[in-house]
Amino acid sequence: MKNKQFLAIGIMMLMPLTILAQGNIKRTFNVLITSDYAKVESSHKLNKDPETGSKIGQLDVYEFTIPASHHDLVEDIERAFDQDKEKAYSLSSASTANKRLNNYSSLAVGGFDYGYRLGNIKDSRYIYALFLDPEDKSKTHRYAYAMEWRKGTKETIGRLVITYATTLQHRESNKQSRIIHINGNDVKLSDNGFSFSNGSESWLSQFNTYKNLFTNNPEGTAANYYASFIYKLCKNADSLDDLEKQMVIKELEKLRKVTKDEFIQNIFETSIERLRK
């Protein structure tokens, strides 16, 4: 019971002013998480600017299992999304049933292009809404609230997700290019992608460099950076032929097994999906 109360406090402490915008969603999230009928496992990530101490990224995930007889807890959350939709600047929902394997959505975390992926649960449905952070006067940061679930004959499984990041509009308008040097090659980096001086050879060289960096310290503080760099490479893999892509996919599958971090595992899984397109 104490653990349930701790989870409830965790949600209610999320920026008190935001309750004005997404109060119904937060309330129903809290009801499900603290329900005696729900089995809940949670994970949390928080990133702050080291100089200002301001929050720049957040990821809270609550995985739940409830008896089918108490599916009304999920239905209440669905209604809450509808009640709060007028205060959201974006609202989306989808179903993964009878869809292609890459029918996913991704919620940005901490301002990066990659994020937490929705659609991992087979034959699931998901919904998410985005709300501006009312304490951010620059209007460049937002909260995302999401629920993914699958109803079975005996139980409903799912997850509640909260992320904090810059808005897509801000990320799009703030893209900058820079040049880095890797293995003697000049590489132009931007949030959109990469341009390479030596085609697939340069691409593979960079991938191998960051693969080794990650493998040497998969639980270190730089692991997220290495994984995100690899993801950006995989988003811009036009220089690779089919055989090279298959080779990289095998390496990504190995990397996914190296880490226990679910968020990084999702990054590598999404990278694989990018290469298979």
Side-chain angles (χ1 to χ4, degrees), residues 223-266:
N224 277 324
Y225 174 77
Y226 299 147
S228 66
F229 192 97
I230 289 172
Y231 173 70
K232 288 185 179 182
L233 280 173
C234 294
K235 285 178 63 178
N236 298 273
D238 293 340
S239 62
L240 302 183
D241 61 29
D242 289 342
L243 288 177
E244 289 169 333
K245 287 182 180 180
Q246 288 302 315
M247 178 178 65
V248 173
I249 287 173
K250 289 182 180 179
E251 295 301 315
L252 287 168
E253 289 172 343
K254 294 178 185 177
L255 290 177
R256 187 178 63 81
K257 295 177 181 178
V258 167
T259 179
K260 297 180 181 179
D261 188 300
E262 182 183 0
F263 184 49
I264 295 179
Q265 288 176 344
N266 284 337

Side-chain angles (χ1 to χ4, degrees), residues 92-152:
S92 297
S93 62
S95 171
T96 65
N98 301 318
K99 297 288 186 178
R100 294 181 303 171
L101 291 177
N102 60 353
N103 184 39
Y104 300 111
S105 291
S106 185
L107 299 176
V109 179
F112 294 101
D113 283 341
Y114 65 82
Y116 188 86
R117 190 166 67 173
L118 300 174
N120 279 338
I121 301 176
K122 184 180 180 181
D123 296 333
S124 67
R125 294 179 59 198
Y126 62 83
I127 185 171
Y128 69 87
L130 309 180
F131 302 85
L132 286 175
D133 176 4
E135 291 197 348
D136 179 12
K137 303 304 180 183
S138 66
K139 298 184 182 300
T140 59
H141 289 81
R142 61 94 182 116
Y143 283 93
Y145 289 79
M147 176 175 67
E148 180 178 1
W149 73 99
R150 182 184 70 216
K151 183 180 180 182

